[in-house]
Amino acid sequence: MKIKADSSETNNDVINNKLPFKLDGFMGTPESEWELRHVLSGGSLLGKSCQCALILAKQPQELQRQAYFFGKHLSLAWQASMDLEPFTSPRLPSDAKFSLISAPVLFHLEHDHTIYNEIKKGAKSVEDIDFHLIHKEIFKGPALRRTRELQSKHSFIALNELRKFPASDARTALENIILAKQES
Amino acid sequence: MQTWGLTILLVSKMAGHSCEIPDLEQDKTAGVLNSQRTLAEITEMIRTANLIHQGMLNLQVLQNAGNDLSSDSDMIFGNKLALLGGDYLLGNANVQLSTLK
């Protein structure tokens, strides 16, 4: 797997988030690939809805952008914490499966390519993959620490965007939600 | 896990209203516009529809990939429910979305 330069800065949504996403140049770097996939699958929903809440209140463009980034990074932080859930204990319940596009798996693949052989068995049927083996390998490697850092990074960005809004009860409530998710 | 609707409401409340506040048709309750409340419902509906669709069962492992089962066996019926239920929620969400602006 070639490691390409981190191209998440060149993604469109920093400039104008109504354009379709660019899809090339992301495979190979676990962090930008994970981010792109999960923004497309759920991050943009929360981000755009937050932006829409401000559009409905007829707020200016700049505030709308802040709301969009808040929603997007909040949902990525949530997703990172959900990705960590199967790995809270070293033992996996007997027939549990976990997402193979989750952050721990991607980080581990970057750390150790050989686990890909195990995943390739799933090309025929997902039942052929030995999830216990993958779980054990990931537990031993650096992937979990990196996923926690990923979660902190996105929570931090979300909090920063949040703090640009004027202080209020609602803002404190949102900050508490983010911090509570961080702790757990 | 399912606190998205709440998040939208909190964001709406936090952002406050602009000076050129819309016509009095949009009456505010608890500091949040009715349209923002609808938006929160819509977001929650889309999210739930996504989760329901993701919950569909993969029948590949059954004999003949489940083709032999009668259409009111549990697995097939459950899959149908998941598919149609998710579609219904998505459809509803879009209808409500069109009434927003």
Side-chain angles (χ1 to χ4, degrees):
Chain A
M1 281 194 290
K2 267 172 50 187
I3 307 292
K4 298 206 176 90
D6 187 339
S7 45
S8 51
E9 272 82 53
T10 62
N11 207 340
N12 306 318
D13 65 359
V14 177
I15 308 154
N16 168 10
N17 66 1
K18 297 199 185 80
L19 300 174
F21 275 58
K22 280 212 233 38
L23 293 176
D24 29 279
F26 284 95
M27 305 302 275
T29 330
E31 205 175 303
S32 31
E33 184 183 334
W34 179 86
E35 182 177 322
L36 177 66
R37 261 218 177 97
H38 287 100
V39 169
L40 284 174
S41 85
S44 73
L45 176 60
L46 191 54
K48 297 257 170 96
S49 316
C50 287
Q51 186 180 2
C52 184
L54 268 73
I55 297 180
L56 287 174
K58 304 225 167 111
Q59 298 285 16
Q61 270 255 335
E62 189 48 45
L63 286 182
Q64 287 175 25
R65 278 165 55 90
Q66 283 171 17
Y68 170 73
F69 287 120
F70 167 68
K72 172 179 157 200
H73 288 282
L74 178 64
S75 108
L76 287 176
W78 248 330
Q79 183 63 43
S81 120
M82 288 202 311
D83 283 350
L84 277 175
E85 264 166 37
F87 299 96
T88 46
S89 93
R91 281 199 58 238
L92 190 63
S94 64
D95 53 353
K97 301 192 181 84
F98 47 85
S99 159
L100 289 172
I101 51 170
S102 60
V105 175
L106 289 179
F107 282 131
H108 190 82
L109 278 172
E110 188 190 36
H111 164 76
D112 171 18
H113 300 320
T114 59
I115 205 76
Y116 196 60
N117 295 330
E118 187 61 39
I119 298 183
K120 271 202 286 201
K121 293 184 195 166
K124 187 153 175 295
S125 153
V126 80
E127 305 292 327
D128 291 340
I129 304 181
D130 184 354
F131 281 95
H132 284 92
L133 178 64
I134 304 185
H135 187 259
K136 220 172 47 155
E137 290 298 313
I138 292 182
F139 214 81
K140 290 190 297 194
L144 296 183
R145 178 184 52 83
R146 290 182 68 184
T147 310
R148 276 188 212 106
E149 283 169 9
L150 183 69
Q151 181 188 353
S152 307
K153 171 181 158 190
H154 286 292
S155 307
F156 183 65
I157 303 179
L159 273 174
N160 276 347
E161 292 295 328
L162 190 56
R163 295 212 166 110
K164 292 181 189 164
F165 285 95
S168 64
D169 279 342
R171 192 185 93 168
T172 324
L174 282 169
E175 285 176 24
N176 288 340
I177 292 180
I178 300 182
L179 292 172
K181 209 66 179 119
Q182 251 313 85
E183 305 291 312
S184 68
Chain B
M1 235 181 44
Q2 280 285 71
T3 54
W4 278 29
L6 175 66
T7 314
I8 305 284
L9 285 177
L10 284 173
V11 166
S12 322
K13 190 155 181 186
M14 167 182 77
H17 303 297
S18 82
C19 335
E20 25 167 294
I21 209 20
D23 357 39
L24 298 168
E25 294 169 8
Q26 294 184 355
D27 36 17
K28 312 175 281 178
T29 7
V32 178
L33 302 176
N34 271 352
S35 54
Q36 285 169 333
R37 184 174 303 218
T38 315
L39 173 70
E41 283 176 13
I42 292 174
T43 312
E44 189 88 33
M45 265 198 272
I46 298 184
R47 172 84 180 149
T48 311
N50 257 352
L51 289 179
I52 292 182
H53 273 176
Q54 278 173 10
M56 287 189 61
L57 293 174
N58 182 1
L59 296 180
Q60 194 64 26
V61 289
L62 299 180
Q63 270 200 345
N64 196 14
N67 280 331
D68 291 337
L69 292 172
S70 93
S71 68
D72 53 359
S73 80
D74 291 339
M75 307 289 260
I76 305 280
F77 196 58
N79 265 352
K80 275 189 199 171
L81 275 179
L83 188 61
L84 295 173
D87 286 343
Y88 174 70
L89 281 175
L90 276 179
N92 238 329
N94 283 326
V95 165
Q96 284 202 5
L97 197 53
S98 65
T99 66
L100 262 188
K101 271 282 180 94

